[in-house]
Amino acid sequence: MSSTIFRHFLDLADIPAEELREILDEAHRCKKAREGLPKGAVDADASLSGHILAMLFEKSSTRTRFSFEVGMAQLGGSSITTSADDMQLGRGESIEDTAKVLSRFVDAIMLRANDHSALVALAQNATVPVINGLTDYNHPCQIMADLMTLEEQGRDLKGLRLCWVGDGNNVAMSFINAASKFGYKLAVSTPDGYGPSGQMVERARAEGAHIDLIQDPLKACANADVVIADTWVSMGDKDIDKRMADLGDWQVNEALMNVAANDALFLHCLPAHRGEEVSAAIIDGSSSVVFDEAENRLHAQKAILKWCLGK
Ligand code: CP
Ligand code: NVA
């Protein structure tokens, strides 16, 4: 077993603000250092040379899968990607045994899990770092890329007014988890029954987060610097027709962006559904930075991998 010191990346709420700041600074450095290089070229310092990342997916993925695989290649390491169903995990082998076995083969494990408790069990039993690639509860890698994107656009996160519109889902939760760490103000606008966990909102507020729960999206987005949407139907959600009906008034469109600040930016983690949570005019318009946001998954995660492995 490895005796190397390591850190898990599971929940932004549990990571000190100064460490998250260091990860973002490193992400910006990583991106700048690669300007002009082919995407497959190894970074000059090859900081994860000889390291292997295992990636386990219980749900679909485009960005998370590609950004981690490319990231490991750029860091000089390699990765093994599999659907959990193709492993014995899919036939009932325990997550605890899986954690112990994979820890003998690889240097880090990324899991995209249906149930957050599976991620926690994996981390508790692994002897290598575990990274959260999205669960039903949160999506911390995404928010690091989102915040990096805002900084790249010249925005100072401290005091920045962010407005989340739609389902109070896993991505919204990571914005809540990180609010006190970076000092932005977060308004969350959801229909009745779609709000984020009150307990987590209270925890964030107790740690200094400025979070407003404002049902009316027009009021919530008034003067916002950043407007954020995500799908109305997350992976694993069953009640599709009900969600479409209940969330219909929470679309980010021109009327909504018009009440935000003149230079407001639009974020969406993707995949997007034009005509549902966001109009085509907004996601494909000048305020949208969604493809920079997607690219920054790569740079942010390289910094997360280095932090996890103490590099
Ligand atoms: N935003 C995001 O996590 O995308 P994927 O589901 O494609 O990984
Ligand atoms: N909330 C979405 C995010 C996808 C990246 C989901 O969980 O499906």
Side-chain angles (χ1 to χ4, degrees), residues 60-65 112 134 139 142 235 269-271 297:
S60 308
S61 170
T62 298
R63 280 142 289 269
T64 304
R65 173 182 176 153
R112 171 165 284 195
L134 177 148
H139 194 4
Q142 181 68 53
M235 292 178 279
C269 65
L270 306 178
R297 292 292 303 277

Side-chain angles (χ1 to χ4, degrees), residues 54-101:
M55 287 200 278
L56 281 46
F57 287 92
E58 291 183 355
K59 310 192 205 199
S60 308
S61 170
T62 298
R63 280 142 289 269
T64 304
R65 173 182 176 153
F66 277 82
S67 54
F68 268 110
E69 284 204 19
V70 172
M72 280 304 287
Q74 291 185 354
L75 290 163
S78 59
S79 52
I80 300 170
T81 303
T82 177
S83 135
D85 279 343
D86 290 335
M87 300 172 63
Q88 296 291 8
L89 199 53
R91 293 182 59 249
E93 185 169 16
S94 74
I95 195 84
E96 291 81 2
D97 285 358
T98 303
K100 289 171 190 164
V101 171

Side-chain angles (χ1 to χ4, degrees), residues 194-306:
Y194 291 84
S197 148
Q199 195 189 336
M200 292 312 296
V201 171
E202 283 319 312
R203 174 180 167 185
R205 283 176 174 156
E207 290 169 1
H210 181 122
I211 297 172
D212 294 315
L213 304 179
I214 303 172
Q215 190 173 53
D216 181 344
L218 287 167
K219 287 188 183 141
C221 285
N223 300 315
D225 299 305
V226 184
V227 177
I228 316 160
D230 186 16
T231 181
W232 289 338
V233 183
S234 284
M235 292 178 279
D237 286 338
K238 304 264 187 283
D239 46 349
I240 298 174
D241 293 343
K242 179 168 165 39
R243 286 177 160 272
M244 291 294 171
D246 292 348
L247 285 148
D249 291 337
W250 275 260
Q251 183 188 74
V252 176
N253 50 31
E254 280 163 307
L256 198 56
M257 289 303 283
N258 280 343
V259 304
N262 286 339
D263 61 350
L265 297 170
F266 174 71
L267 289 179
H268 190 309
C269 65
L270 306 178
H273 309 79
R274 289 167 176 77
E276 294 179 15
E277 75 272 8
V278 61
S279 68
I282 295 303
I283 195 167
D284 298 320
S286 57
S287 60
S288 174
V289 287
V290 300
F291 296 109
D292 289 338
E293 184 184 358
E295 178 188 333
N296 286 336
R297 292 292 303 277
L298 167 64
H299 309 293
Q301 285 157 200
K302 286 170 70 181
I304 291 167
L305 282 160
K306 287 194 202 183

